[in-house]
Amino acid sequence: MNKILNFIKKQKIHLIGWTGFILCEIFIVGFSTGKFGDIESYIIHYILNILLFYFCAHWAYPRVFENAFHWVWKLPLLGGFTFLCYLLLNYIVDTRILKHQSWKTVQELEMGHKYVLGVLYRAALFMGNAAFYYLFLVHLKEVKVREAAERASFQIELSKKDMEAKLEQSRNSYLKAQINPHLLFNTLSFIYQDILASSPKAAEAVMTLSDLMRYSLDCEFTESTIPLKEEITQVKSLILLHSTRFEEELSLSFETGDGIENIKFIPLVLITLAENIFKHGIFLDPQHPAKLAISYCGEFLSIQSRNLPNRKSRATSMHKGLENIRQRLEIAYGGKAKMHYGIREQYFEIEIKVRID
């Protein structure tokens, strides 16, 4: 029932149009001639006429006019064939199905010129109306195509303006990113000059912090890989910076293998691992020293980190930083990089192996 209601709702204009046309034609012709046919005759003939209409509009004419020149011979050929089929169906209906049970006389049902001309008139009426309906569908399709093209053009224009706005925003952000660090580095320089005489150790820590921050910012605008010696230097500076915070010596070893300084690698991996040790690990216990090591052997770069975990630290923050490293390794090296981390014999261990071509 729902399908029928949906069909009626969707095709209501066609249904209303055909109902109005059929009723008007029946009553006008009936009252003007004084003759009415039986219901069965009306139903069958109007079904044939409606089928002829939609056959021409949706099947015949699209094939006739699909080429700019072929319609010259396709139209009379297909039109003539369609009329002959329509004539034959009408004759079968009138002489075999209805069996002369109509308001027409037997003579009028014989296959003569009057019968053929009568059927031709009906065929021309519905085939002509179908042609106008087909042209309306073509026009409607062209309108929809034009509207779609206009919408697409409008969306492209919106996207272009949005992209220009984002580009302008990025430019402003880039300029701010240049200005803000510049002010910060100037401020750190002033602090360094002020405390250098009274506290050389603290002044050196400020300068080391400034170098570390400058390195981190520069890495955002540098190439995808840099020589490892640059990051090794920064890791040593980071260890030196933290050593100024404590009176006792740090229990942290940073080991670098031979021949690795000129190997190019993505930045901020070593320094992030070192920061994790200082933030989430124990590095002041001589009985359980922390370790960060990097070596190169047989085309494989190996990075290892090992420390006792600090139970007071927030593990979720640590895992976020490590997952960031994993994602960057995957983007830069794909399947050539492997990273594993977890607790082993009470130590938190990280192991990274990357094949360097």
Side-chain angles (χ1 to χ4, degrees):
M1 188 64 183
N2 290 332
K3 292 183 178 180
I4 296 175
L5 293 176
N6 290 333
F7 175 80
I8 293 175
K9 184 177 180 180
K10 187 177 180 180
Q11 305 294 336
K12 64 180 181 179
I13 295 179
H14 291 259
L15 295 174
I16 293 173
W18 283 115
T19 301
F21 170 78
I22 292 171
L23 290 177
C24 287
E25 188 178 54
I26 288 175
F27 284 105
I28 291 174
V29 174
F31 284 118
S32 63
T33 61
K35 297 179 181 180
F36 287 91
D38 54 63
I39 296 177
E40 184 181 4
S41 176
Y42 284 135
I43 292 174
I44 296 176
H45 280 98
Y46 276 114
I47 288 176
L48 286 177
N49 295 333
I50 292 172
L51 289 176
L52 175 65
F53 176 88
Y54 286 114
F55 170 79
C56 291
H58 292 292
W59 191 90
Y61 292 145
R63 284 159 178 78
V64 167
F65 296 103
E66 63 184 355
N67 187 281
F69 301 102
H70 291 175
W71 68 271
V72 176
W73 61 268
K74 281 186 176 181
L75 183 60
L77 182 64
L78 191 56
F81 177 77
T82 301
F83 168 70
L84 289 177
C85 293
Y86 177 73
L87 175 64
L88 181 61
L89 287 174
N90 272 273
Y91 188 73
I92 293 173
V93 167
D94 289 333
T95 60
R96 296 290 186 271
I97 299 176
L98 298 177
K99 298 178 180 178
H100 311 306
Q101 295 178 11
S102 67
W103 54 273
K104 291 185 177 183
T105 64
V106 175
Q107 289 77 16
E108 290 176 317
L109 292 176
E110 292 178 352
M111 185 63 80
H113 69 279
K114 290 185 178 181
Y115 183 84
V116 173
L117 290 176
V119 175
L120 177 60
Y121 169 77
R122 298 295 288 173
L125 176 66
F126 287 96
M127 292 175 71
N129 289 331
F132 286 107
Y133 178 62
Y134 166 74
L135 293 176
F136 171 75
L137 292 179
V138 171
H139 171 72
L140 192 63
K141 184 178 180 180
E142 291 176 351
V143 169
K144 289 182 178 179
V145 170
R146 185 167 59 250
E147 290 177 350
E150 291 175 353
R151 284 196 299 269
S153 178
F154 180 70
Q155 289 296 329
I156 291 173
E157 189 66 24
L158 282 181
S159 300
K160 183 179 178 181
K161 290 182 179 179
D162 184 55
M163 187 177 298
E164 290 175 352
K166 289 182 179 179
L167 180 60
E168 187 64 26
Q169 184 179 2
S170 298
R171 288 173 179 169
N172 292 333
S173 298
Y174 177 73
L175 292 175
K176 289 180 182 178
Q178 288 182 317
I179 294 173
N180 293 337
H182 182 70
L183 295 174
L184 176 61
F185 293 140
N186 283 342
T187 302
L188 291 175
S189 179
F190 295 150
I191 296 173
Y192 170 78
Q193 296 295 335
D194 288 343
I195 66 176
L196 179 60
S198 60
S199 180
K201 187 176 181 180
E204 189 64 28
V206 171
M207 187 55 62
T208 302
L209 174 62
S210 177
D211 291 340
L212 285 168
M213 294 181 65
R214 191 183 302 276
Y215 170 76
S216 297
L217 290 172
D218 289 343
C219 285
E220 296 183 8
F221 305 101
T222 189
E223 297 178 356
S224 58
T225 60
I226 60 173
L228 275 170
K229 61 182 178 182
E230 297 183 17
E231 184 135 348
I232 289 173
T233 300
Q234 298 305 318
V235 172
K236 291 179 179 179
S237 297
L238 182 64
I239 294 173
L240 179 62
L241 177 64
H242 280 278
S243 65
T244 61
R245 299 170 52 205
F246 306 96
E247 296 181 357
E248 64 266 43
E249 185 178 353
L250 299 183
S251 297
L252 170 63
S253 64
F254 178 42
E255 302 176 1
T256 58
D258 297 332
I260 67 167
E261 292 191 347
N262 293 323
I263 295 175
K264 287 195 171 184
F265 191 64
I266 59 174
L268 303 178
V269 173
L270 286 177
I271 201 165
T272 301
L273 295 178
E275 287 177 349
N276 273 338
I277 293 176
F278 289 116
K279 188 174 182 181
H280 303 288
I282 295 175
F283 49 88
L284 296 175
D285 187 354
Q287 302 297 323
H288 302 281
K291 177 182 178 182
L292 178 61
I294 179 171
S295 60
Y296 180 72
C297 180
E299 299 183 349
F300 283 93
L301 184 70
S302 177
I303 303 174
Q304 294 178 326
S305 174
R306 186 173 184 268
N307 61 271
L308 279 179
N310 186 351
R311 302 300 180 183
K312 297 180 181 179
S313 67
R314 299 170 66 180
T316 54
S317 176
M318 175 181 65
H319 288 165
K320 183 178 179 180
L322 296 180
E323 284 302 313
N324 180 271
I325 293 177
R326 184 195 298 278
Q327 292 175 10
R328 292 180 59 230
L329 288 171
E330 183 177 352
I331 293 172
Y333 301 100
K336 298 178 181 179
K338 303 294 182 183
M339 178 177 178
H340 304 282
Y341 60 85
I343 300 294
R344 183 186 300 173
E345 297 179 356
Q346 75 179 338
Y347 286 94
F348 183 76
E349 296 184 354
I350 304 172
E351 183 176 7
I352 299 173
K353 283 191 176 182
V354 183
R355 181 175 180 179
I356 305 296
D357 294 331

